[in-house]
Amino acid sequence: MEKLLTIRQVAAATGLSVHTLRYYEKIGLLCSIHRNENGYRCYSSMDITWIEFLTRLKATGMPITGMLEIAELRRQGDSTLTARRILLEEHYRAVQQNMIELQNNLHLLADKIVTYKEMENNYYASHASKQKPEKPQK
């Protein structure tokens, strides 16, 4: 028999807050969460796997509306496998594009840092009588 987890245990295991888990259930991202005889939520390993997947979608920038669309298709069963795959492929392409843009921006920042170092060296070389200031403390 599978060990079911409480909402607090799931929050600790997934890094989501109890509030977030309840919110996800309220809006329909989590459904069919079983309750014990006292009315407490009991999460299965399949629930945890789904929550981890939702967390990854969120981390990659998928809006809640997209996550809800996938959740609804999932509830409808295997006849929606193709639709779910297509949604994930579209999101995958968007994430790839964001990564390309981030990489380009990162290269520009690296170039700017090199430029500032060169400018600093030139400045301090031309003002040899002045001492180079220490790096600021964080």
Side-chain angles (χ1 to χ4, degrees):
M1 184 170 174
E2 179 182 19
K3 181 179 189 237
L4 298 176
L5 301 176
T6 67
I7 195 166
R8 292 198 188 285
Q9 290 169 321
V10 172
T14 62
L16 296 177
S17 69
V18 168
H19 173 77
T20 298
L21 290 168
R22 286 182 181 133
Y23 173 71
Y24 279 8
E25 188 175 356
K26 179 181 176 182
I27 65 170
L29 283 176
L30 299 175
C31 65
S32 304
I33 302 299
H34 298 289
R35 293 186 182 250
N36 67 14
E37 61 277 357
N38 296 322
Y40 295 114
R41 291 170 179 86
C42 298
Y43 295 82
S44 69
S45 61
M46 286 180 58
D47 295 326
I48 304 300
T49 300
W50 175 245
I51 291 166
E52 289 170 344
F53 179 64
L54 291 173
T55 302
R56 301 240 184 226
L57 290 176
K58 182 179 178 190
T60 59
M62 181 176 273
I64 293 281
T65 55
M67 294 164 56
L68 284 167
E69 190 172 355
I70 290 174
E72 177 56 34
L73 289 170
R74 180 177 177 248
R75 273 190 288 282
Q76 293 174 26
D78 288 348
S79 65
T80 66
L81 288 171
T82 301
R84 286 184 266 168
R85 177 187 48 81
I86 290 169
L87 285 172
L88 291 177
E89 286 174 344
E90 290 169 357
H91 182 63
Y92 184 89
R93 283 191 293 277
V95 171
Q96 280 183 316
Q97 187 59 43
N98 283 343
M99 289 175 66
I100 290 167
E101 291 172 19
L102 283 171
Q103 194 63 46
N104 289 339
N105 291 335
L106 192 60
H107 288 305
L108 289 171
L109 285 172
D111 290 345
K112 188 55 87 173
I113 289 168
V114 168
T115 300
Y116 275 112
K117 285 181 179 179
E118 290 171 357
M119 291 169 65
E120 285 176 291
N121 290 337
N122 291 338
Y123 175 81
Y124 293 118
S126 68
H127 296 84
S129 62
K130 296 181 181 179
Q131 286 188 339
K132 194 174 182 179
E134 294 181 23
K135 291 182 182 176
Q137 300 274 330
K138 290 187 179 178

